[in-house]
Amino acid sequence: MIDILRREAVYLWYYFSVQLEQIFQYWVLGMVLGSLVSVFLKEHIHRAFRSMGKKRLGTMGIVAASALGIASPLCMYGTIPIAASFSKSGMRDDWLAAFMMSSILLNPQLIVYSAALGLPALTVRILSCFLCGIFAGGLIRIFYRNQPFFNYHGFEEPVSRDIDPNLLFRFLKNLGRNIKATGWYFLAGIALSALFQRYVPADVMAGLFGGNEAFGVLMAATIGVPLYACGGGTIPLLQAWLMDGMSLGSAAAFMITGPATKITNLGAVKIVLGMKRFALYLVYVMLFSFLSGLVVNFIYF
């Protein structure tokens, strides 16, 4: 029995160490880039978005808002208060919807993490998140043109924690918070990936999520709801699943529903939407992720 346990431990350590070696550099680079953007560029990004309210950009404002949402390093609980301040300054709801939707799904740090999945997956992730923000803003523009969609009552603009007068110390403190917030999720994701690779046959993963089938995309979109905890933590899982036969479309569906339905994000979104519009948000996320997965599979198969 002891020999069996020792052998299994060796196998698990092998899978763990191999994947850690493959993606550790992306995690470190993502941490550094995320902190650099947060410390030195965040205010410029938000100032650029705020200045859009003074321009007559029309539908193009939705496109710009979605791009700026991806560039913003804030998490959802940071995005909502800053979006509340944008709303108070007169920002349109369709632009806010595009900004918030893409900000939920992606940020510069997660872009670097996702590079570990390969160029096709990275490209799909960036484009799908960008388009998800654009379509969200477009729907608000069409159906809520003359009525408010969000309720930011009670939200105040967040106080920045990056206030150290020494720029180097400010960056290092932000980096430390970043590592503390994501490090355990990252290691847990690698550990789960090692367990999957050791005990779940590759043909099972290929059968569930492979091929150009709607069922695989739907399954991936569905498991994204309970499994997603942290962007960095899911990269090892996705890498292992893609190697075992998961289709790129299924991965795309998972990468949309995961962050969009992350439990902490859902709590924040429900506050500003109310129950009826919160239900619409869930329907939109699931439908967009499913259709995106089908489109991606159609293109890549």
Side-chain angles (χ1 to χ4, degrees), residues 37-299:
V37 171
S38 184
V39 171
F40 299 107
L41 296 178
K42 179 176 65 179
E43 295 303 322
H44 296 285
I45 294 168
H46 294 164
R47 195 177 301 121
F49 185 48
R50 197 184 299 274
S51 68
M52 284 172 49
K54 303 175 184 178
K55 302 174 182 178
R56 296 183 177 181
L57 298 176
T59 304
M60 287 305 300
I62 296 175
V63 177
S66 184
L68 288 171
I70 290 175
S72 174
L74 293 178
C75 65
M76 187 68 260
Y77 270 98
T79 298
I80 286 181
I82 197 70
S85 72
F86 293 151
S87 181
K88 288 179 181 178
S89 66
M91 186 67 67
R92 299 162 42 147
D93 275 4
D94 53 346
W95 294 1
L96 286 171
F99 179 86
M100 288 177 61
M101 188 75 250
S102 62
S103 182
I104 291 174
L105 298 177
L106 198 56
N107 57 51
Q109 190 167 303
L110 190 52
I111 289 174
V112 176
Y113 291 161
S114 301
L117 303 176
L119 184 58
L122 174 63
T123 303
V124 165
R125 181 162 217 170
I126 294 173
L127 286 178
S128 62
C129 293
F130 179 52
L131 291 174
C132 191
I134 291 174
F135 282 117
L139 290 172
I140 300 304
R141 183 179 179 86
I142 293 171
F143 294 105
Y144 286 86
R145 177 184 291 271
N146 299 316
Q147 54 182 309
F149 187 76
F150 300 104
N151 177 16
Y152 294 111
H153 179 71
F155 283 96
E156 299 294 336
E157 188 168 351
V159 177
S160 176
R161 300 172 66 183
D162 299 313
I163 57 175
D164 195 298
N166 185 300
L167 290 179
L168 177 60
F169 287 165
R170 189 187 303 177
F171 166 73
L172 291 176
K173 288 179 180 178
N174 187 285
L175 181 61
R177 291 194 300 269
N178 229 344
I179 293 172
K180 183 179 179 181
T182 64
W184 288 111
Y185 289 111
F186 174 71
L187 293 175
I190 296 178
L192 282 174
S193 174
L195 290 170
F196 267 98
Q197 290 181 75
R198 175 59 182 160
Y199 299 115
V200 179
D203 58 345
V204 172
M205 297 303 297
L208 284 175
F209 305 118
N212 187 20
E213 298 167 352
F215 176 75
V217 176
L218 182 61
M219 282 290 295
T222 302
I223 67 166
V225 177
L227 266 186
Y228 198 96
C230 169
T234 55
I235 296 301
L237 284 172
L238 279 169
Q239 187 185 58
W241 292 345
L242 286 167
M243 290 175 61
D244 285 345
M246 183 185 220
S247 71
L248 202 52
S250 295
F254 180 89
M255 290 187 289
I256 293 172
T257 60
T261 59
K262 180 181 173 183
I263 190 64
T264 51
N265 286 349
L266 288 182
V269 171
K270 184 177 180 296
I271 292 173
V272 298
L273 293 184
M275 184 55 71
K276 180 180 177 181
R277 290 167 187 171
F278 177 67
L280 292 175
Y281 167 81
L282 293 178
V283 170
Y284 170 72
V285 166
M286 294 301 294
L287 186 59
F288 184 89
S289 65
F290 179 65
L291 293 177
S292 296
L294 293 181
V295 171
V296 170
N297 275 347
F298 177 77
I299 293 173

